[in-house]
């Protein structure tokens, strides 16, 4: 089937266009509950947005939910030390799962890599540098 569209443009499942820039912020990251907000694929014709509430279940495990990539979704992060893992599940109409691994280089600095949309043929490998401050 044809992937869903947001305002007439395919969302996430587009041909590789080269580097993308995402900007996300986490408000109250050290609290029991935090707010995750941001934008994905900045500068593109159709950027997407994130607004989610995250709950710290333990010092290394976070669960959250809200709007991910302009769709209803949930997320989980497990980050016990040098290596971490994150998954995002979103878009109830076209269920999509992303999976990422993180290499934590320094406090607030990590290198990530993974797959977007691992359940469908349109999946793509992504990697990058993530700063959190």
């Amino acid at each position: 089937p044809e992937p869903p569209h947001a305002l007439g443009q395919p969302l996430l499942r587009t041909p590789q266009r080269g580097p993308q820039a995402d900007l996300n912020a986490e408000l109250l990251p050290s609290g029991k509950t935090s707010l995750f907000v941001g934008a994905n694929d900045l500068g593109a014709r159709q950027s997407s947005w994130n607004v989610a509430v995250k709950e710290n279940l333990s010092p290394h495990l976070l669960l959250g939910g809200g709007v991910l990539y302009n769709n209803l979704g949930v997320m989980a992060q497990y980050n016990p030390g040098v290596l971490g893992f994150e998954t995002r599940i979103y878009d109830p109409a076209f269920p999509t799962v992303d999976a990422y691994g993180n290499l934590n280089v320094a406090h607030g600095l990590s290198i990530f890599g993974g797959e977007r949309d691992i359940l469908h043929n349109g999946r793509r490998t992504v990697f990058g540098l993530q700063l959190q401050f």
Side-chain angles (χ1 to χ4, degrees), residues 19-124:
Q20 292 179 249
D22 296 352
L23 178 61
N24 293 294
E26 192 164 344
L27 306 173
L28 302 173
S30 299
K32 177 98 172 113
T33 303
S34 60
L35 180 64
F36 176 72
V37 297
N40 308 296
D41 205 4
L42 294 170
R45 235 171 56 174
Q46 181 63 41
S47 295
S48 61
W49 302 91
N50 303 314
V51 178
V53 174
K54 293 167 61 174
E55 188 77 17
N56 291 311
L57 299 181
S58 76
H60 308 297
L61 179 64
L62 297 119
L63 294 179
V67 176
L68 302 174
Y69 304 107
N70 292 351
N71 291 283
L72 186 61
V74 295
M75 62 192 311
Q77 295 174 321
Y78 181 66
N79 216 1
V82 175
L83 298 176
F85 176 78
E86 179 177 342
T87 189
R88 297 179 184 187
I89 304 169
Y90 53 94
D91 193 354
F94 189 81
T96 305
V97 178
D98 296 353
Y100 305 100
N102 298 314
L103 174 62
N104 299 306
V105 179
H107 181 71
L109 175 65
S110 62
I111 297 170
F112 70 90
E115 292 283 322
R116 279 196 173 162
D117 196 12
I118 63 175
L119 300 177
H120 304 102
N121 289 336
R123 68 182 161 269
R124 61 183 168 165

